[in-house]
Amino acid sequence: MNSIYVTGLRGVCHSWQGCAKNLVAMKLLVVIIVALAVSMAGAIPVNIAIMKDIMGPGINHRKANDGDVNTCRSSPREKNVYLKIDLKKPKDIKTVRLLLNPEASRNYEDTVIRAGNKRNWKDNPICARINQNPAPTVVERVCEVRARYVIIQKMGKRKRTVGVCEFQIFTDDGTTKPIIEPPPRPPPPPPPTTAPPPTTAPPPPPTPPPTTAPPTVAPVVTTAAPVVEKTTIPTTLACEFPDFISNLAQGKSVSQSSTKSEGVAEKAVDGNKDSDLKSGQSCTWTNKEFQPWWKVDLGEVRDVYKVVITNRMDCCFFRIRNAEVRVGDSPNHEENPVCGGMVLGKRVRQETITVACGCEVPMRGRYVSIQLIDKTQVLHLCEVEVMGA
C-alpha cells in the first residue's frame, strides 16, 4: 500500500514517511512559536491587579479588574469615594494605569493614588496625584513603592463617582531588559600538517589563539503603549519645590493630645529651632501615651508642599519614629489624607526631617497634624514648618 491516509492527518500526508516528516515540521513550528512567545513576554509588563480582591462603595467592583476593557464599573456618588485592590502580599509596584470610560464623565480633579500596607485605605500614603478634567481615556502614574493595597480616591466634600473600565497595576516599566547576544563561535582549528623536513631555517611562529568578539547589547525595545503623562510624588525630599512657598504655621493656633511640664503645643510654631529641649526650652512635650498627636490650624485651606520637623536631639531622638503627617479640611486629623511617608529608619536620627506632600501638585487643607502611629511614646517637636502657599 504505497498511498494510505493516516487517521487524524487525512489530506496532510499520503504515506507513513510523509506523515513522519510533517510531524517533525509541526513540532519544530511549535517550538519556534513557544520561543517567540517567551521572548516577547519579557517585553510586556504584567498587570498584577487582574482578578485580585477589589472593594469600594457600590457593586460590580470586579468589572474594574477583570481584564476586559469593555466592561466598566461606576460607583455611587459619595464623598471621598474610593476603589481599593488587595494584592494579598506586598509587591514592588512601578506604575498604576487607569483605563477610563470614553462615554462617561472623566472628572479626575483632586484625585490621588494611595499605596501601602494598611488595611484601612485612608491610612496609606499618597504616591501619585491626578488633577485633570476631563482626564484622557488612559491615565498612568509612576508609583514606585512596595505595597499590598493600591487605592484610587477622589478627594473633597463633593459627592463624586469613580468610573473605571480597567484598574491596572504593573511591576515593570514596560521595557525589555537588554538582550545579551552570545559571542560568535571561534573558527575551527587548522587541519593537522605533516612535520616539515629538517632544515636549518627556524620553525614558524605558533599560531595565536582565536579571539572572540565581546558580547553585544541589543537596544532596549519599548512595547507599544499609549503616550501618557507620568509624575512621581515622593515621600522624601527628592524634588525641587517652588521658590514662592513660605512657612504657613508660625504663630497659628495649635493643639496636642496632652501636655507634660512646660512643653506646650505653641512651642512648635514659635520660630525657635533649638533642638535641645532642656536648655532651649522650645520643644513640645506630651505625656507617654498611645498615639500622641500635635495639630496646627492654618485658619483657611492652603496649598501644602512639605512639612519640615525639627527633631529633639539632646536626648531621645528615636521617639519621632512612626511619625505620620496628615493634611486636610477636617478638624479630626484622623479623617485627613496622609502626606508623604512615615518617619522610619535613618530619618529618626536627623535633626531636620522633611516630609514631602507634593512637588508640582500640592496637598490642600486647613489642618496639618503629626501623630505617632501604633506605639505608646512621648511626642517631642522642637519646630514644625508647614511650607506652602
Side-chain angles (χ1 to χ4, degrees):
M1 184 180 298
N2 296 327
S3 178
I4 62 173
Y5 289 98
V6 180
T7 304
L9 294 176
R10 186 180 303 273
V12 175
C13 52
H14 299 279
S15 66
W16 291 109
Q17 294 82 359
C19 284
K21 291 180 180 179
N22 285 336
L23 286 174
V24 171
M26 292 173 64
K27 288 182 178 179
L28 180 60
L29 180 61
V30 170
V31 170
I32 293 173
I33 292 174
V34 171
L36 287 173
V38 171
S39 65
M40 292 176 63
I44 302 175
V46 179
N47 175 20
I48 61 173
I50 291 182
M51 302 307 291
K52 292 293 193 299
D53 287 349
I54 186 167
M55 58 208 75
I59 58 175
N60 294 330
H61 308 313
R62 185 64 65 196
K63 290 183 178 181
N65 70 333
D66 59 359
D68 186 354
V69 298
N70 295 315
T71 58
C72 303
R73 181 262 186 192
S74 183
S75 69
R77 296 178 64 85
E78 292 191 5
K79 296 179 181 179
N80 289 313
V81 65
Y82 72 96
L83 195 61
K84 180 179 81 169
I85 287 182
D86 181 0
L87 301 176
K88 295 302 183 184
K89 61 181 181 179
K91 299 283 187 179
D92 291 324
I93 297 168
K94 294 294 183 182
T95 56
V96 177
R97 182 183 299 164
L98 306 179
L99 306 183
L100 308 180
N101 187 350
E103 299 178 356
S105 172
R106 301 194 304 277
N107 184 345
Y108 275 74
E109 293 178 310
D110 297 326
T111 302
V112 298
I113 298 175
R114 297 178 179 273
N117 299 309
K118 299 292 185 67
R119 187 178 296 275
N120 184 350
W121 62 272
K122 288 185 178 180
D123 293 336
N124 293 295
I126 296 170
C127 67
R129 293 178 176 276
I130 307 169
N131 194 17
Q132 295 174 293
N133 180 23
T137 55
V138 179
V139 177
E140 184 173 307
R141 292 292 185 270
V142 174
C143 192
E144 295 185 352
V145 66
R146 185 170 180 81
R148 170 176 174 174
Y149 303 101
V150 181
I151 304 101
I152 309 169
Q153 178 196 358
K154 288 191 173 182
M155 304 171 64
K157 297 181 178 180
R158 291 185 298 134
K159 291 186 177 181
R160 304 166 67 186
T161 65
V162 173
V164 179
C165 294
E166 205 62 27
F167 187 172
Q168 300 176 334
I169 303 169
F170 298 100
T171 57
D172 191 271
D173 60 3
T175 59
T176 60
K177 297 179 179 179
I179 301 172
I180 307 299
E181 295 182 354
R185 294 184 179 180
T193 58
T194 58
T199 61
T200 57
T207 304
T211 59
T212 59
T216 59
V217 180
V220 176
V221 180
T222 305
T223 57
V227 178
V228 291
E229 176 191 358
K230 294 187 178 183
T231 59
T232 301
I233 302 300
T235 57
T236 59
L237 183 58
C239 61
E240 295 183 1
F241 295 98
D243 296 333
F244 56 78
I245 61 176
S246 60
N247 182 13
L248 308 176
Q250 187 169 345
K252 293 296 194 300
S253 175
V254 292
S255 58
Q256 59 188 26
S257 55
S258 63
T259 301
K260 183 174 182 179
S261 186
E262 297 180 357
V264 295
E266 286 76 11
K267 290 187 175 182
V269 291
D270 61 359
N272 187 345
K273 298 182 182 180
D274 191 338
S275 60
D276 190 328
L277 181 145
K278 294 181 179 179
S279 66
Q281 297 294 314
S282 183
C283 301
T284 68
W285 194 351
T286 70
N287 294 322
K288 189 174 183 178
E289 57 187 329
F290 182 66
Q291 298 194 150
W293 55 266
W294 177 95
K295 180 178 67 176
V296 58
D297 179 0
L298 302 179
E300 59 181 333
V301 176
R302 305 294 293 269
D303 290 336
V304 177
Y305 287 86
K306 62 180 177 179
V307 175
V308 182
I309 302 170
T310 301
N311 191 16
R312 178 184 179 183
M313 298 303 291
D314 62 311
C315 163
C316 318
F317 56 81
F318 59 86
R319 289 176 176 173
I320 198 66
R321 181 180 287 111
N322 284 25
E324 182 179 71
V325 177
R326 290 176 179 262
V327 178
D329 298 335
S330 174
N332 181 358
H333 64 274
E334 293 183 346
E335 296 179 356
N336 293 323
V338 176
C339 156
M342 190 178 291
V343 177
L344 297 169
K346 295 181 179 179
R347 300 180 71 196
V348 304
R349 299 176 177 270
Q350 298 174 357
E351 181 177 6
T352 301
I353 301 170
T354 300
V355 180
C357 300
C359 295
E360 297 178 359
V361 182
M363 293 185 69
R364 287 182 59 80
R366 172 176 173 174
Y367 301 93
V368 179
S369 64
I370 301 172
Q371 183 175 22
L372 301 184
I373 302 299
D374 295 333
K375 64 185 296 189
T376 300
Q377 188 53 273
V378 174
L379 176 62
H380 295 301
L381 300 169
C382 294
E383 191 69 16
V384 177
E385 299 170 273
V386 178
M387 306 303 293

